Amino acid sequence: QVQLVESGGDLVQPGGSLRLSCAASGFSFSSSAMGWVRQAPGKGLEWVSSIGSGGLSTSYADSVKGRFTISRDNAKNTLYLQMNSLKSDDTAVYYCARGWGMGQRGGQGTQVTVSS
């Protein structure tokens, strides 16, 4: 079964940085597009970023473009999201997902809180 374990969330000040990780198992990670989605308090799920199976193709939501970078290590079955210049609007639970776009979630998510 698909298992996705997110980590790296924390409380950070505006302008700060965080790196999220997602450990994947139960499917062929290296053959799968992957991505990140988030859910802010009281709001619906929002797609954040996607990356192709080989890591060459990436896409970002306008709200994070230029600040976030998605990457992957297929040897470690791990997906990453480097988040810089964080804003209060980035406060959310972040989930990794299998597939392009909203994808299939399989974990509990990791909380990112941006606040002074």
Side-chain angles (χ1 to χ4, degrees):
Q1 83 206 44
V2 173
Q3 286 195 325
L4 301 168
V5 180
E6 302 92 344
S7 62
D10 205 346
L11 170 64
V12 62
Q13 292 187 343
S17 297
L18 281 176
R19 188 196 197 198
L20 307 184
S21 298
C22 171
S25 62
F27 65 100
S28 178
F29 180 81
S30 61
S31 299
S32 301
M34 296 293 297
W36 291 93
V37 298
R38 67 186 181 184
Q39 187 165 25
K43 297 187 177 181
L45 282 171
E46 175 190 17
W47 170 75
V48 174
S49 180
S50 295
I51 186 169
S53 60
L56 297 180
S57 298
T58 59
S59 185
Y60 298 91
D62 287 344
S63 58
V64 307
K65 199 173 293 183
R67 301 187 298 120
F68 290 10
T69 302
I70 191 171
S71 62
R72 64 192 296 160
D73 186 336
N74 285 345
K76 296 182 178 180
N77 282 7
T78 303
L79 178 72
Y80 303 100
L81 185 68
Q82 177 67 42
M83 305 188 296
N84 298 329
S85 302
L86 283 162
K87 307 175 182 179
S88 57
D89 287 347
D90 296 318
T91 294
V93 178
Y94 285 72
Y95 302 90
C96 63
R98 180 188 183 191
W100 194 268
M102 294 298 285
Q104 174 191 9
R105 291 177 293 139
Q108 298 298 311
T110 187
Q111 176 71 50
V112 172
T113 303
V114 184
S115 175
S116 55

